[in-house]
Amino acid sequence: MATKTVIAADYREWQVQRRIEWTTPAVGDEFEHDVDAGSGAVVLILSALVFFWLILLIWVPDEVVFPWFYWLVVIVGVGFFPVRWLLRRPFTITAKTQGGYDLPPESWTGMVRGFSTGREETKVVIRSLKNRSTPGHADSPLQPIN
């Protein structure tokens, strides 16, 4: 995503950025349990599913007519999980500043899950910078990086 430049209440210039993470990063205790089996299982399952539907449609007798709402249910059923997966991807929000006259440089980062949550949290960070000169608050996902 694009970087947004914000002038904070203490006149420091901050760069706020939101970017999508295509793989869920392992943090803390999850690191040892984060095992990726690869894409072989996905290819196998999807090809078996496509094969099943092709056989089902090829072997159906000519007298069988599928109503329009049947195809609607199939399209919604097939499209639900990919759309849900795409909308629930984690987003990393980063706020950085070079510092000010007597203020040190700072870098804050955090992760939220979901497209709308990421957009809303980015707006909260920008509003917090403009009002309080700090991107984080008590229950913010953003934490300072040393």
PDB file of all heavy atoms in Angstrom, residues 56-87:
ATOM      1  N   LEU A  56     -19.438 -35.604 -12.233  1.00  0.00           N
ATOM      2  CA  LEU A  56     -20.844 -35.435 -11.867  1.00  0.00           C
ATOM      3  C   LEU A  56     -21.632 -34.793 -13.013  1.00  0.00           C
ATOM      4  O   LEU A  56     -22.751 -35.229 -13.329  1.00  0.00           O
ATOM      5  CB  LEU A  56     -20.966 -34.593 -10.595  1.00  0.00           C
ATOM      6  CG  LEU A  56     -22.356 -34.445 -10.012  1.00  0.00           C
ATOM      7  CD1 LEU A  56     -22.818 -35.786  -9.449  1.00  0.00           C
ATOM      8  CD2 LEU A  56     -22.357 -33.394  -8.921  1.00  0.00           C
ATOM      9  N   LEU A  57     -21.073 -33.792 -13.650  1.00  0.00           N
ATOM     10  CA  LEU A  57     -21.778 -33.110 -14.733  1.00  0.00           C
ATOM     11  C   LEU A  57     -21.770 -33.909 -16.028  1.00  0.00           C
ATOM     12  O   LEU A  57     -22.712 -33.823 -16.822  1.00  0.00           O
ATOM     13  CB  LEU A  57     -21.163 -31.723 -14.963  1.00  0.00           C
ATOM     14  CG  LEU A  57     -21.389 -30.721 -13.830  1.00  0.00           C
ATOM     15  CD1 LEU A  57     -20.658 -29.429 -14.113  1.00  0.00           C
ATOM     16  CD2 LEU A  57     -22.873 -30.471 -13.622  1.00  0.00           C
ATOM     17  N   ILE A  58     -20.731 -34.696 -16.288  1.00  0.00           N
ATOM     18  CA  ILE A  58     -20.670 -35.495 -17.511  1.00  0.00           C
ATOM     19  C   ILE A  58     -21.633 -36.673 -17.447  1.00  0.00           C
ATOM     20  O   ILE A  58     -22.287 -37.002 -18.433  1.00  0.00           O
ATOM     21  CB  ILE A  58     -19.225 -35.968 -17.763  1.00  0.00           C
ATOM     22  CG1 ILE A  58     -18.360 -34.767 -18.170  1.00  0.00           C
ATOM     23  CG2 ILE A  58     -19.171 -37.048 -18.827  1.00  0.00           C
ATOM     24  CD1 ILE A  58     -16.881 -35.078 -18.260  1.00  0.00           C
ATOM     25  N   TRP A  59     -21.757 -37.293 -16.286  1.00  0.00           N
ATOM     26  CA  TRP A  59     -22.588 -38.484 -16.159  1.00  0.00           C
ATOM     27  C   TRP A  59     -24.057 -38.197 -15.886  1.00  0.00           C
ATOM     28  O   TRP A  59     -24.851 -39.116 -15.785  1.00  0.00           O
ATOM     29  CB  TRP A  59     -22.052 -39.378 -15.045  1.00  0.00           C
ATOM     30  CG  TRP A  59     -20.890 -40.211 -15.476  1.00  0.00           C
ATOM     31  CD1 TRP A  59     -20.316 -40.279 -16.705  1.00  0.00           C
ATOM     32  CD2 TRP A  59     -20.166 -41.103 -14.658  1.00  0.00           C
ATOM     33  NE1 TRP A  59     -19.270 -41.141 -16.709  1.00  0.00           N
ATOM     34  CE2 TRP A  59     -19.149 -41.674 -15.455  1.00  0.00           C
ATOM     35  CE3 TRP A  59     -20.252 -41.493 -13.331  1.00  0.00           C
ATOM     36  CZ2 TRP A  59     -18.251 -42.600 -14.964  1.00  0.00           C
ATOM     37  CZ3 TRP A  59     -19.355 -42.414 -12.845  1.00  0.00           C
ATOM     38  CH2 TRP A  59     -18.360 -42.963 -13.664  1.00  0.00           C
ATOM     39  N   VAL A  60     -24.439 -36.966 -15.778  1.00  0.00           N
ATOM     40  CA  VAL A  60     -25.832 -36.659 -15.485  1.00  0.00           C
ATOM     41  C   VAL A  60     -26.676 -36.963 -16.735  1.00  0.00           C
ATOM     42  O   VAL A  60     -26.245 -36.682 -17.861  1.00  0.00           O
ATOM     43  CB  VAL A  60     -25.976 -35.186 -15.032  1.00  0.00           C
ATOM     44  CG1 VAL A  60     -25.745 -34.218 -16.170  1.00  0.00           C
ATOM     45  CG2 VAL A  60     -27.314 -34.941 -14.395  1.00  0.00           C
ATOM     46  N   PRO A  61     -27.835 -37.556 -16.568  1.00  0.00           N
ATOM     47  CA  PRO A  61     -28.697 -37.847 -17.725  1.00  0.00           C
ATOM     48  C   PRO A  61     -29.167 -36.548 -18.406  1.00  0.00           C
ATOM     49  O   PRO A  61     -29.223 -35.486 -17.782  1.00  0.00           O
ATOM     50  CB  PRO A  61     -29.890 -38.591 -17.120  1.00  0.00           C
ATOM     51  CG  PRO A  61     -29.407 -39.088 -15.802  1.00  0.00           C
ATOM     52  CD  PRO A  61     -28.364 -38.137 -15.336  1.00  0.00           C
ATOM     53  N   ASP A  62     -29.523 -36.656 -19.670  1.00  0.00           N
ATOM     54  CA  ASP A  62     -29.946 -35.484 -20.437  1.00  0.00           C
ATOM     55  C   ASP A  62     -31.262 -34.888 -19.929  1.00  0.00           C
ATOM     56  O   ASP A  62     -31.536 -33.711 -20.146  1.00  0.00           O
ATOM     57  CB  ASP A  62     -30.101 -35.842 -21.919  1.00  0.00           C
ATOM     58  CG  ASP A  62     -28.762 -36.151 -22.558  1.00  0.00           C
ATOM     59  OD1 ASP A  62     -27.741 -35.639 -22.045  1.00  0.00           O
ATOM     60  OD2 ASP A  62     -28.749 -36.892 -23.559  1.00  0.00           O
ATOM     61  N   GLU A  63     -32.079 -35.696 -19.285  1.00  0.00           N
ATOM     62  CA  GLU A  63     -33.376 -35.214 -18.823  1.00  0.00           C
ATOM     63  C   GLU A  63     -33.270 -34.327 -17.588  1.00  0.00           C
ATOM     64  O   GLU A  63     -34.230 -33.640 -17.227  1.00  0.00           O
ATOM     65  CB  GLU A  63     -34.305 -36.397 -18.485  1.00  0.00           C
ATOM     66  CG  GLU A  63     -34.631 -37.289 -19.654  1.00  0.00           C
ATOM     67  CD  GLU A  63     -33.537 -38.332 -19.887  1.00  0.00           C
ATOM     68  OE1 GLU A  63     -32.836 -38.701 -18.930  1.00  0.00           O
ATOM     69  OE2 GLU A  63     -33.386 -38.744 -21.047  1.00  0.00           O
ATOM     70  N   VAL A  64     -32.138 -34.351 -16.930  1.00  0.00           N
ATOM     71  CA  VAL A  64     -31.982 -33.561 -15.704  1.00  0.00           C
ATOM     72  C   VAL A  64     -31.662 -32.119 -16.085  1.00  0.00           C
ATOM     73  O   VAL A  64     -30.746 -31.842 -16.846  1.00  0.00           O
ATOM     74  CB  VAL A  64     -30.860 -34.133 -14.810  1.00  0.00           C
ATOM     75  CG1 VAL A  64     -30.626 -33.250 -13.602  1.00  0.00           C
ATOM     76  CG2 VAL A  64     -31.204 -35.540 -14.381  1.00  0.00           C
ATOM     77  N   VAL A  65     -32.468 -31.203 -15.536  1.00  0.00           N
ATOM     78  CA  VAL A  65     -32.262 -29.772 -15.784  1.00  0.00           C
ATOM     79  C   VAL A  65     -31.943 -29.118 -14.439  1.00  0.00           C
ATOM     80  O   VAL A  65     -32.688 -29.273 -13.467  1.00  0.00           O
ATOM     81  CB  VAL A  65     -33.523 -29.136 -16.412  1.00  0.00           C
ATOM     82  CG1 VAL A  65     -33.336 -27.642 -16.581  1.00  0.00           C
ATOM     83  CG2 VAL A  65     -33.859 -29.806 -17.720  1.00  0.00           C
ATOM     84  N   PHE A  66     -30.837 -28.405 -14.431  1.00  0.00           N
ATOM     85  CA  PHE A  66     -30.457 -27.711 -13.197  1.00  0.00           C
ATOM     86  C   PHE A  66     -31.045 -26.307 -13.208  1.00  0.00           C
ATOM     87  O   PHE A  66     -30.845 -25.554 -14.159  1.00  0.00           O
ATOM     88  CB  PHE A  66     -28.925 -27.602 -13.091  1.00  0.00           C
ATOM     89  CG  PHE A  66     -28.243 -28.917 -12.899  1.00  0.00           C
ATOM     90  CD1 PHE A  66     -27.526 -29.509 -13.933  1.00  0.00           C
ATOM     91  CD2 PHE A  66     -28.308 -29.567 -11.680  1.00  0.00           C
ATOM     92  CE1 PHE A  66     -26.891 -30.717 -13.762  1.00  0.00           C
ATOM     93  CE2 PHE A  66     -27.675 -30.784 -11.501  1.00  0.00           C
ATOM     94  CZ  PHE A  66     -26.968 -31.359 -12.538  1.00  0.00           C
ATOM     95  N   PRO A  67     -31.804 -25.945 -12.166  1.00  0.00           N
ATOM     96  CA  PRO A  67     -32.364 -24.590 -12.116  1.00  0.00           C
ATOM     97  C   PRO A  67     -31.256 -23.554 -11.893  1.00  0.00           C
ATOM     98  O   PRO A  67     -30.160 -23.881 -11.462  1.00  0.00           O
ATOM     99  CB  PRO A  67     -33.322 -24.650 -10.917  1.00  0.00           C
ATOM    100  CG  PRO A  67     -32.877 -25.807 -10.119  1.00  0.00           C
ATOM    101  CD  PRO A  67     -32.191 -26.764 -11.037  1.00  0.00           C
ATOM    102  N   TRP A  68     -31.604 -22.305 -12.197  1.00  0.00           N
ATOM    103  CA  TRP A  68     -30.611 -21.228 -12.095  1.00  0.00           C
ATOM    104  C   TRP A  68     -30.092 -21.067 -10.676  1.00  0.00           C
ATOM    105  O   TRP A  68     -28.929 -20.727 -10.462  1.00  0.00           O
ATOM    106  CB  TRP A  68     -31.178 -19.911 -12.596  1.00  0.00           C
ATOM    107  CG  TRP A  68     -32.337 -19.415 -11.764  1.00  0.00           C
ATOM    108  CD1 TRP A  68     -33.641 -19.690 -11.956  1.00  0.00           C
ATOM    109  CD2 TRP A  68     -32.256 -18.584 -10.617  1.00  0.00           C
ATOM    110  NE1 TRP A  68     -34.410 -19.100 -11.000  1.00  0.00           N
ATOM    111  CE2 TRP A  68     -33.565 -18.398 -10.161  1.00  0.00           C
ATOM    112  CE3 TRP A  68     -31.231 -17.983  -9.916  1.00  0.00           C
ATOM    113  CZ2 TRP A  68     -33.868 -17.635  -9.036  1.00  0.00           C
ATOM    114  CZ3 TRP A  68     -31.527 -17.213  -8.807  1.00  0.00           C
ATOM    115  CH2 TRP A  68     -32.835 -17.053  -8.376  1.00  0.00           C
ATOM    116  N   PHE A  69     -30.928 -21.256  -9.649  1.00  0.00           N
ATOM    117  CA  PHE A  69     -30.475 -21.050  -8.273  1.00  0.00           C
ATOM    118  C   PHE A  69     -29.501 -22.140  -7.831  1.00  0.00           C
ATOM    119  O   PHE A  69     -28.712 -21.927  -6.914  1.00  0.00           O
ATOM    120  CB  PHE A  69     -31.652 -20.938  -7.296  1.00  0.00           C
ATOM    121  CG  PHE A  69     -32.587 -22.111  -7.305  1.00  0.00           C
ATOM    122  CD1 PHE A  69     -32.314 -23.227  -6.543  1.00  0.00           C
ATOM    123  CD2 PHE A  69     -33.744 -22.084  -8.063  1.00  0.00           C
ATOM    124  CE1 PHE A  69     -33.180 -24.309  -6.541  1.00  0.00           C
ATOM    125  CE2 PHE A  69     -34.614 -23.157  -8.064  1.00  0.00           C
ATOM    126  CZ  PHE A  69     -34.326 -24.273  -7.307  1.00  0.00           C
ATOM    127  N   TYR A  70     -29.506 -23.285  -8.489  1.00  0.00           N
ATOM    128  CA  TYR A  70     -28.509 -24.319  -8.200  1.00  0.00           C
ATOM    129  C   TYR A  70     -27.111 -23.795  -8.545  1.00  0.00           C
ATOM    130  O   TYR A  70     -26.172 -23.958  -7.781  1.00  0.00           O
ATOM    131  CB  TYR A  70     -28.823 -25.588  -8.998  1.00  0.00           C
ATOM    132  CG  TYR A  70     -27.728 -26.624  -8.915  1.00  0.00           C
ATOM    133  CD1 TYR A  70     -27.603 -27.435  -7.806  1.00  0.00           C
ATOM    134  CD2 TYR A  70     -26.802 -26.759  -9.948  1.00  0.00           C
ATOM    135  CE1 TYR A  70     -26.590 -28.371  -7.721  1.00  0.00           C
ATOM    136  CE2 TYR A  70     -25.787 -27.693  -9.878  1.00  0.00           C
ATOM    137  CZ  TYR A  70     -25.684 -28.494  -8.755  1.00  0.00           C
ATOM    138  OH  TYR A  70     -24.673 -29.406  -8.668  1.00  0.00           O
ATOM    139  N   TRP A  71     -26.996 -23.178  -9.719  1.00  0.00           N
ATOM    140  CA  TRP A  71     -25.691 -22.636 -10.135  1.00  0.00           C
ATOM    141  C   TRP A  71     -25.278 -21.473  -9.248  1.00  0.00           C
ATOM    142  O   TRP A  71     -24.088 -21.275  -8.979  1.00  0.00           O
ATOM    143  CB  TRP A  71     -25.727 -22.229 -11.603  1.00  0.00           C
ATOM    144  CG  TRP A  71     -25.945 -23.415 -12.485  1.00  0.00           C
ATOM    145  CD1 TRP A  71     -27.052 -23.710 -13.219  1.00  0.00           C
ATOM    146  CD2 TRP A  71     -25.036 -24.507 -12.675  1.00  0.00           C
ATOM    147  NE1 TRP A  71     -26.894 -24.912 -13.872  1.00  0.00           N
ATOM    148  CE2 TRP A  71     -25.650 -25.419 -13.556  1.00  0.00           C
ATOM    149  CE3 TRP A  71     -23.773 -24.806 -12.206  1.00  0.00           C
ATOM    150  CZ2 TRP A  71     -25.048 -26.594 -13.963  1.00  0.00           C
ATOM    151  CZ3 TRP A  71     -23.165 -25.980 -12.615  1.00  0.00           C
ATOM    152  CH2 TRP A  71     -23.787 -26.855 -13.481  1.00  0.00           C
ATOM    153  N   LEU A  72     -26.259 -20.719  -8.771  1.00  0.00           N
ATOM    154  CA  LEU A  72     -25.950 -19.623  -7.847  1.00  0.00           C
ATOM    155  C   LEU A  72     -25.367 -20.171  -6.540  1.00  0.00           C
ATOM    156  O   LEU A  72     -24.376 -19.645  -6.022  1.00  0.00           O
ATOM    157  CB  LEU A  72     -27.211 -18.795  -7.576  1.00  0.00           C
ATOM    158  CG  LEU A  72     -27.029 -17.594  -6.662  1.00  0.00           C
ATOM    159  CD1 LEU A  72     -26.146 -16.556  -7.326  1.00  0.00           C
ATOM    160  CD2 LEU A  72     -28.392 -17.007  -6.328  1.00  0.00           C
ATOM    161  N   VAL A  73     -25.966 -21.244  -6.032  1.00  0.00           N
ATOM    162  CA  VAL A  73     -25.457 -21.881  -4.811  1.00  0.00           C
ATOM    163  C   VAL A  73     -24.047 -22.432  -5.032  1.00  0.00           C
ATOM    164  O   VAL A  73     -23.169 -22.307  -4.178  1.00  0.00           O
ATOM    165  CB  VAL A  73     -26.428 -22.982  -4.325  1.00  0.00           C
ATOM    166  CG1 VAL A  73     -25.797 -23.831  -3.231  1.00  0.00           C
ATOM    167  CG2 VAL A  73     -27.732 -22.372  -3.845  1.00  0.00           C
ATOM    168  N   VAL A  74     -23.797 -23.027  -6.192  1.00  0.00           N
ATOM    169  CA  VAL A  74     -22.470 -23.566  -6.502  1.00  0.00           C
ATOM    170  C   VAL A  74     -21.437 -22.444  -6.553  1.00  0.00           C
ATOM    171  O   VAL A  74     -20.344 -22.551  -5.982  1.00  0.00           O
ATOM    172  CB  VAL A  74     -22.505 -24.363  -7.826  1.00  0.00           C
ATOM    173  CG1 VAL A  74     -21.100 -24.684  -8.304  1.00  0.00           C
ATOM    174  CG2 VAL A  74     -23.311 -25.627  -7.651  1.00  0.00           C
ATOM    175  N   ILE A  75     -21.768 -21.344  -7.216  1.00  0.00           N
ATOM    176  CA  ILE A  75     -20.828 -20.220  -7.331  1.00  0.00           C
ATOM    177  C   ILE A  75     -20.540 -19.605  -5.963  1.00  0.00           C
ATOM    178  O   ILE A  75     -19.382 -19.324  -5.630  1.00  0.00           O
ATOM    179  CB  ILE A  75     -21.376 -19.164  -8.315  1.00  0.00           C
ATOM    180  CG1 ILE A  75     -21.325 -19.725  -9.731  1.00  0.00           C
ATOM    181  CG2 ILE A  75     -20.595 -17.870  -8.229  1.00  0.00           C
ATOM    182  CD1 ILE A  75     -22.031 -18.870 -10.753  1.00  0.00           C
ATOM    183  N   VAL A  76     -21.585 -19.410  -5.155  1.00  0.00           N
ATOM    184  CA  VAL A  76     -21.382 -18.856  -3.805  1.00  0.00           C
ATOM    185  C   VAL A  76     -20.576 -19.828  -2.953  1.00  0.00           C
ATOM    186  O   VAL A  76     -19.657 -19.420  -2.227  1.00  0.00           O
ATOM    187  CB  VAL A  76     -22.742 -18.530  -3.143  1.00  0.00           C
ATOM    188  CG1 VAL A  76     -22.571 -18.218  -1.668  1.00  0.00           C
ATOM    189  CG2 VAL A  76     -23.391 -17.362  -3.852  1.00  0.00           C
ATOM    190  N   GLY A  77     -20.865 -21.104  -3.059  1.00  0.00           N
ATOM    191  CA  GLY A  77     -20.125 -22.099  -2.269  1.00  0.00           C
ATOM    192  C   GLY A  77     -18.664 -22.187  -2.650  1.00  0.00           C
ATOM    193  O   GLY A  77     -17.786 -22.299  -1.794  1.00  0.00           O
ATOM    194  N   VAL A  78     -18.377 -22.129  -3.936  1.00  0.00           N
ATOM    195  CA  VAL A  78     -16.986 -22.205  -4.400  1.00  0.00           C
ATOM    196  C   VAL A  78     -16.236 -20.904  -4.107  1.00  0.00           C
ATOM    197  O   VAL A  78     -15.061 -20.923  -3.767  1.00  0.00           O
ATOM    198  CB  VAL A  78     -16.955 -22.548  -5.910  1.00  0.00           C
ATOM    199  CG1 VAL A  78     -15.578 -22.347  -6.496  1.00  0.00           C
ATOM    200  CG2 VAL A  78     -17.421 -23.973  -6.125  1.00  0.00           C
ATOM    201  N   GLY A  79     -16.917 -19.767  -4.205  1.00  0.00           N
ATOM    202  CA  GLY A  79     -16.249 -18.486  -4.021  1.00  0.00           C
ATOM    203  C   GLY A  79     -16.148 -17.997  -2.594  1.00  0.00           C
ATOM    204  O   GLY A  79     -15.384 -17.071  -2.311  1.00  0.00           O
ATOM    205  N   PHE A  80     -16.874 -18.606  -1.667  1.00  0.00           N
ATOM    206  CA  PHE A  80     -16.907 -18.107  -0.294  1.00  0.00           C
ATOM    207  C   PHE A  80     -15.538 -18.147   0.374  1.00  0.00           C
ATOM    208  O   PHE A  80     -15.075 -17.140   0.921  1.00  0.00           O
ATOM    209  CB  PHE A  80     -17.925 -18.906   0.537  1.00  0.00           C
ATOM    210  CG  PHE A  80     -17.903 -18.552   1.988  1.00  0.00           C
ATOM    211  CD1 PHE A  80     -18.482 -17.388   2.433  1.00  0.00           C
ATOM    212  CD2 PHE A  80     -17.280 -19.382   2.918  1.00  0.00           C
ATOM    213  CE1 PHE A  80     -18.465 -17.042   3.770  1.00  0.00           C
ATOM    214  CE2 PHE A  80     -17.246 -19.053   4.257  1.00  0.00           C
ATOM    215  CZ  PHE A  80     -17.845 -17.873   4.692  1.00  0.00           C
ATOM    216  N   PHE A  81     -14.882 -19.276   0.346  1.00  0.00           N
ATOM    217  CA  PHE A  81     -13.631 -19.422   1.082  1.00  0.00           C
ATOM    218  C   PHE A  81     -12.473 -18.619   0.501  1.00  0.00           C
ATOM    219  O   PHE A  81     -11.717 -18.026   1.257  1.00  0.00           O
ATOM    220  CB  PHE A  81     -13.282 -20.903   1.252  1.00  0.00           C
ATOM    221  CG  PHE A  81     -14.203 -21.584   2.217  1.00  0.00           C
ATOM    222  CD1 PHE A  81     -15.175 -22.453   1.764  1.00  0.00           C
ATOM    223  CD2 PHE A  81     -14.125 -21.332   3.570  1.00  0.00           C
ATOM    224  CE1 PHE A  81     -16.043 -23.070   2.642  1.00  0.00           C
ATOM    225  CE2 PHE A  81     -14.993 -21.934   4.474  1.00  0.00           C
ATOM    226  CZ  PHE A  81     -15.958 -22.815   4.008  1.00  0.00           C
ATOM    227  N   PRO A  82     -12.316 -18.552  -0.819  1.00  0.00           N
ATOM    228  CA  PRO A  82     -11.247 -17.671  -1.320  1.00  0.00           C
ATOM    229  C   PRO A  82     -11.474 -16.200  -0.980  1.00  0.00           C
ATOM    230  O   PRO A  82     -10.534 -15.490  -0.629  1.00  0.00           O
ATOM    231  CB  PRO A  82     -11.271 -17.889  -2.833  1.00  0.00           C
ATOM    232  CG  PRO A  82     -11.893 -19.217  -3.021  1.00  0.00           C
ATOM    233  CD  PRO A  82     -12.865 -19.382  -1.893  1.00  0.00           C
ATOM    234  N   VAL A  83     -12.714 -15.742  -1.055  1.00  0.00           N
ATOM    235  CA  VAL A  83     -13.002 -14.347  -0.716  1.00  0.00           C
ATOM    236  C   VAL A  83     -12.777 -14.116   0.774  1.00  0.00           C
ATOM    237  O   VAL A  83     -12.180 -13.109   1.179  1.00  0.00           O
ATOM    238  CB  VAL A  83     -14.444 -13.968  -1.123  1.00  0.00           C
ATOM    239  CG1 VAL A  83     -14.845 -12.622  -0.557  1.00  0.00           C
ATOM    240  CG2 VAL A  83     -14.568 -13.969  -2.633  1.00  0.00           C
ATOM    241  N   ARG A  84     -13.199 -15.044   1.599  1.00  0.00           N
ATOM    242  CA  ARG A  84     -12.967 -14.913   3.043  1.00  0.00           C
ATOM    243  C   ARG A  84     -11.486 -14.908   3.357  1.00  0.00           C
ATOM    244  O   ARG A  84     -11.010 -14.123   4.173  1.00  0.00           O
ATOM    245  CB  ARG A  84     -13.644 -16.075   3.782  1.00  0.00           C
ATOM    246  CG  ARG A  84     -13.483 -15.995   5.279  1.00  0.00           C
ATOM    247  CD  ARG A  84     -14.179 -17.181   5.956  1.00  0.00           C
ATOM    248  NE  ARG A  84     -14.021 -17.118   7.381  1.00  0.00           N
ATOM    249  CZ  ARG A  84     -12.994 -17.626   8.044  1.00  0.00           C
ATOM    250  NH1 ARG A  84     -12.028 -18.234   7.394  1.00  0.00           N
ATOM    251  NH2 ARG A  84     -12.906 -17.527   9.351  1.00  0.00           N
ATOM    252  N   TRP A  85     -10.726 -15.775   2.699  1.00  0.00           N
ATOM    253  CA  TRP A  85      -9.283 -15.830   2.915  1.00  0.00           C
ATOM    254  C   TRP A  85      -8.643 -14.503   2.540  1.00  0.00           C
ATOM    255  O   TRP A  85      -7.779 -13.990   3.262  1.00  0.00           O
ATOM    256  CB  TRP A  85      -8.687 -16.969   2.076  1.00  0.00           C
ATOM    257  CG  TRP A  85      -7.205 -17.055   2.164  1.00  0.00           C
ATOM    258  CD1 TRP A  85      -6.472 -17.664   3.125  1.00  0.00           C
ATOM    259  CD2 TRP A  85      -6.261 -16.508   1.235  1.00  0.00           C
ATOM    260  NE1 TRP A  85      -5.134 -17.537   2.860  1.00  0.00           N
ATOM    261  CE2 TRP A  85      -4.984 -16.841   1.707  1.00  0.00           C
ATOM    262  CE3 TRP A  85      -6.384 -15.794   0.055  1.00  0.00           C
ATOM    263  CZ2 TRP A  85      -3.828 -16.447   1.037  1.00  0.00           C
ATOM    264  CZ3 TRP A  85      -5.243 -15.415  -0.602  1.00  0.00           C
ATOM    265  CH2 TRP A  85      -3.985 -15.751  -0.111  1.00  0.00           C
ATOM    266  N   LEU A  86      -9.060 -13.928   1.415  1.00  0.00           N
ATOM    267  CA  LEU A  86      -8.485 -12.669   0.964  1.00  0.00           C
ATOM    268  C   LEU A  86      -8.830 -11.519   1.910  1.00  0.00           C
ATOM    269  O   LEU A  86      -7.972 -10.689   2.221  1.00  0.00           O
ATOM    270  CB  LEU A  86      -8.976 -12.353  -0.451  1.00  0.00           C
ATOM    271  CG  LEU A  86      -8.365 -11.131  -1.108  1.00  0.00           C
ATOM    272  CD1 LEU A  86      -6.862 -11.314  -1.275  1.00  0.00           C
ATOM    273  CD2 LEU A  86      -9.021 -10.881  -2.445  1.00  0.00           C
ATOM    274  N   LEU A  87     -10.061 -11.475   2.389  1.00  0.00           N
ATOM    275  CA  LEU A  87     -10.481 -10.379   3.265  1.00  0.00           C
ATOM    276  C   LEU A  87      -9.942 -10.502   4.683  1.00  0.00           C
ATOM    277  O   LEU A  87      -9.934  -9.521   5.420  1.00  0.00           O
ATOM    278  CB  LEU A  87     -12.011 -10.281   3.291  1.00  0.00           C
ATOM    279  CG  LEU A  87     -12.655  -9.851   1.981  1.00  0.00           C
ATOM    280  CD1 LEU A  87     -14.165  -9.851   2.127  1.00  0.00           C
ATOM    281  CD2 LEU A  87     -12.151  -8.490   1.548  1.00  0.00           C
TER     282      LEU A  87
END
